[in-house]
Amino acid sequence: MTGAPAACAIPAEARDELAQLTPLLGARASVAPGRPSAPAPVALVEQIAGGSEDGERAQAFARGLGEVIRAIVDNFPDNIFWDLDYLACCLWQAGSAPAIGDFAGRVVSLCVGFGNKSKLRFRYAHDFLYGYDWARWVTRKPDERAGVGPFDLAFFDYLDGRQKALVELVASNDRKYSQLNGREYRNPFSFIREPREESQLHYLLAQVDLIPLKAWRLDGERRWDLPFTDLRAKLAERLGLSRGGGR
């Protein structure tokens, strides 16, 4: 007799909690060409951790992914694209249950620090999820940073420092990072980032292969050796999405 295939070690309660998050993601839009939608949280967990016999690690993974999703929803409520495949894979690959919890905590902290409840009030998590922040960082010192991934802890350390530096700029009412009025979102970019324009631009960026991190792939195919920030701005200009000075 042959043994039955190993069942996913994720408890039913953890699955149920993840399933409750699915409606919060709306249409679960994906920028991936030809992909109707990003996977639901339960499907993502099953794809990555299905068959694991390490119950403690699998439960930590499900819990950590739920915490990350809630943090994005809570701090970037207008977030449009939900290709969390590679981020979830990195969460699983963090290792032990405690390491997975620590990784999730770092991502949650970044969401809180950059999101709508902070002094920075960025509208979307897209630049983090799809590698624009990471590619820009690597190009400044490629010899030192080319081996660091977009969801490696060393890059998280940089983002923590960057968040603190930006808060100081806001406090000084910097020209580029000035203090905002009321519920205004921050947009230091040269192009409009309202939801309709954000969707239009990033769908096209994916079609012409100008997204640094293919976050919809579990292997996280990525590249940093193009000026992605400038290329995105130029494409936005060609689409008629340019704007005045950023805040």
Side-chain angles (χ1 to χ4, degrees):
M1 291 180 59
T2 58
C8 180
I10 298 166
E13 181 180 354
R15 286 168 172 253
D16 291 343
E17 290 178 359
L18 281 174
Q20 292 172 13
L21 296 177
T22 301
L24 303 180
L25 310 188
R28 302 199 317 276
S30 168
V31 300
R35 190 187 211 190
S37 62
V42 171
L44 195 53
V45 165
E46 290 175 344
Q47 182 181 12
I48 294 172
S52 172
E53 297 180 356
D54 188 337
E56 183 183 8
R57 185 182 177 206
Q59 186 166 6
F61 174 54
R63 183 186 306 114
L65 182 60
E67 291 171 355
V68 167
I69 292 172
R70 289 187 196 92
I72 297 174
V73 169
D74 290 345
N75 295 281
F76 303 97
D78 289 347
N79 203 69
I80 300 167
F81 297 112
W82 290 94
D83 296 301
L84 301 179
D85 308 55
Y86 183 57
L87 178 59
C89 190
C90 290
L91 178 65
W92 175 250
Q93 292 174 348
S96 65
I100 288 172
D102 290 344
F103 184 103
R106 294 294 300 272
V107 177
V108 169
S109 178
L110 290 170
C111 290
V112 172
F114 285 91
N116 70 332
K117 298 175 180 63
S118 73
K119 295 290 186 181
L120 301 182
R121 284 188 56 79
F122 287 103
R123 192 166 193 170
Y124 312 106
H126 301 155
D127 286 19
F128 171 66
L129 294 175
Y130 295 98
Y132 285 95
D133 294 331
W134 164 80
R136 186 166 53 248
W137 176 73
V138 173
T139 57
R140 291 171 184 154
K141 293 184 179 180
D143 291 343
E144 297 178 15
R145 299 171 177 173
V148 179
F151 302 134
D152 286 357
L153 298 183
F155 182 60
F156 289 176
D157 289 342
Y158 159 75
L159 289 177
D160 284 338
R162 178 64 173 161
Q163 187 270 342
K164 293 179 175 64
L166 290 179
V167 168
E168 291 178 1
L169 289 175
V170 171
S172 67
N173 209 22
D174 179 76
R175 182 175 180 180
K176 185 175 182 181
Y177 292 96
S178 59
Q179 296 175 15
L180 299 175
N181 298 315
R183 307 304 295 170
E184 180 183 5
Y185 283 107
R186 186 173 304 283
N187 182 7
F189 299 92
S190 62
F191 49 91
I192 299 168
R193 300 200 72 168
E194 290 298 309
R196 182 177 66 84
E197 289 81 3
E198 182 81 357
S199 296
Q200 178 188 9
L201 176 59
H202 287 81
Y203 279 131
L204 185 54
L205 285 163
Q207 290 172 16
V208 298
D209 198 19
L210 287 179
I211 290 185
L213 170 63
K214 294 180 179 176
W216 56 90
R217 293 177 54 112
L218 292 178
D219 64 0
E221 181 182 324
R222 59 191 181 265
R223 55 182 178 161
W224 52 265
D225 54 346
L226 289 175
F228 286 102
T229 296
D230 293 340
L231 291 170
R232 179 170 63 169
K234 289 177 181 177
L235 182 57
E237 183 178 6
R238 289 202 295 272
L239 292 172
L241 305 182
S242 297
R243 62 188 290 271
R247 298 188 67 175

